[in-house]
Every structure is written in structure tokens, then in C-alpha cells.
Amino acid sequence: MKESTCIFCKIAAGEIPSKTIYEDENFRVILDISPATKGHALILPKEHYANLYELPDEMAGKVMLLAKRLAAHMTEALGCDGFNLVQNNGEVAGQTVFHFHLHLIPRYQGDGNEDKICWNHLELSQEELDKIHQLLILTKLP
């Protein structure tokens, strides 16, 4: 299923030109037009899923396998020093296009983004950690 108003659906379908670096029956991988670093790319499913919560398990597995292979290829081709995989869900988490996508961000020593993909660390008491721990324990996945 595709969303007629979704820009990433249109790009994934080839209706809007992009710098495609890989394509198969499930995905189009494009260079980001507003990159964080040299080589910053996006994995776009060809089907529309608003976020990770809507992505079927099988597709989630395929995304990660593709990301692993592309990260290895990009690291060799670009000579980067590290790699970030970033995936945002919801506006508060930084999602701006509501079509699931995974950012592939090559990292370079001195790229000026050392403090950009991070967060402020919380200081939680042992009691707070214990409460959170109890809320999150699973004996099996839902």
C-alpha cells in the first residue's frame, strides 16, 4: 500500500527523482538531500509504513540485514571511521516524514557532528531504575 500524499512513497516508487544507491523489490536507498555527513543515506521501504510500530516483523528483519550490508559497503567505499544507524518514531523523537525510514550515517573523525547524535544522560536513583526495570521485564515478547 502506498500513500498518495507521502513524499517518501513517491521517491520509493521512482516518481520523484533521487540519488538512488541501491534498489530491490522492497526498498529504495537514496542519498539524503540534507545530509549530516558525506554519504548520509536513507533506506525507504516501497510500501508505506508510518513508523517502526507499523513495520511488519519480516520487513524489519530485511531492513536490518540491508543496513548491515550497506554500512559495510559504504564504510569501504567512503573510508569512514564509524557509522550511525538512526531511526525516529514520532514527532517528539525527531520524525519529520511519517514514512518509516532508516538513516545510514557514515561518521568521520572531525566531521563536526560528534555531539549531534547524542542525548543528555539522566541520573536516576536505584529505586527509579528498579521501578523501570519491573515495568519492562518480559518473559516472552508480545
Side-chain angles (χ1 to χ4, degrees), residues 2 4 14 25 27-28 31 35-36 42-43 47 55 58 60 70 77 94 96 99-100 111 120 125 128 131:
K2 294 176 180 54
S4 63
E25 65 276 1
F27 304 101
R28 182 181 294 262
L31 290 179
L42 303 174
I43 297 177
E47 294 297 319
L55 193 67
E58 181 181 345
L70 285 169
T96 57
H99 178 115
F100 173 91
D111 64 18
N120 296 323
S125 69
E128 290 170 307
K131 285 180 184 178

Side-chain angles (χ1 to χ4, degrees), residues 77-97:
L78 297 171
C80 58
D81 302 305
F83 219 91
N84 287 116
L85 300 179
V86 177
Q87 202 282 309
N88 304 316
N89 294 282
E91 190 174 339
V92 70
Q95 186 177 12
T96 57
V97 178

